[in-house]
Amino acid sequence: MDNRQAIGSWISGPRAAAEDMGVEFGYRGQRLGLPEEGPGALARPGRRFAALFIDWALCLLIAYGLLSGGRAQSASNWALVVFAVLSVLTVGTVGFTPGKRLLGLRVIAEGGGRISLPRVVLRTLLLVLVIPAVVWDRDGRGLHDRVARAVQVRI
């Protein structure tokens, strides 16, 4: 076997090379005991990004209209605060933000059920830092979800 095949290309990565050699990783969410498709399945990244975009736009609108005094420069700083409060309150109580609800997503604990308030606060703090949210595991969960032991699933 060519050594380049074992390492993978810079585009496909080592996982694709391992799959080409016959290694079976299973579907996303299988290790968590989630179904492959349908309600309860792991949420896809595109849907999660769209929900985040909707939530951020809503928070920017609130921050600009109510908190920044009409100054666009300070609206984004206030939007971050509004986003954190919105996330803690909505995910901590009903399990989803407005954007997640519109797109049919919910945040649950790894074992199922509701995520506890301290874990919601931890998840939100890491999400506001951005970097943990862009570091993903093999299931496509962000580091903020792994640390908080949370999963975003389809409703």
Side-chain angles (χ1 to χ4, degrees):
M1 172 189 339
D2 188 4
N3 193 22
R4 289 176 292 175
Q5 283 181 325
I7 295 172
S9 78
W10 68 275
I11 295 176
S12 64
R15 179 180 174 142
E19 286 174 343
D20 288 343
M21 292 188 304
V23 176
E24 180 62 39
F25 288 105
Y27 62 87
R28 293 172 357 108
Q30 184 174 11
R31 295 183 307 153
L32 301 167
L34 300 173
E36 187 171 3
E37 292 293 325
L42 204 62
R44 299 274 182 210
R47 212 177 241 194
R48 292 188 343 233
F49 283 130
L52 181 66
F53 179 77
I54 291 168
D55 291 334
W56 185 252
L58 178 66
C59 292
L60 265 174
L61 186 66
I62 291 169
Y64 182 76
L66 300 177
L67 300 171
S68 70
R71 293 186 312 272
Q73 293 172 338
S74 65
S76 60
N77 293 334
W78 281 110
L80 194 60
V81 173
V82 172
F83 179 80
V85 170
L86 175 80
S87 183
V88 167
L89 291 178
T90 58
V91 173
T93 56
V94 292
F96 46 76
T97 61
K100 286 183 187 354
R101 180 65 185 127
L102 284 172
L103 296 176
L105 304 178
R106 176 178 226 123
V107 179
I108 62 170
E110 277 182 353
R114 253 189 175 160
I115 183 171
S116 67
L117 188 60
R119 289 179 19 197
V120 170
V121 170
L122 174 64
R123 180 184 182 278
T124 301
L125 288 175
L126 291 173
L127 185 59
V128 167
L129 290 176
V130 176
I131 298 299
V134 296
V135 177
W136 293 353
D137 67 1
R138 143 176 132 190
D139 289 320
R141 289 191 312 157
L143 184 59
H144 65 295
D145 280 333
R146 279 194 62 117
V147 169
R149 296 189 328 258
V151 182
Q152 293 186 54
V153 296
R154 293 173 50 192
I155 296 176

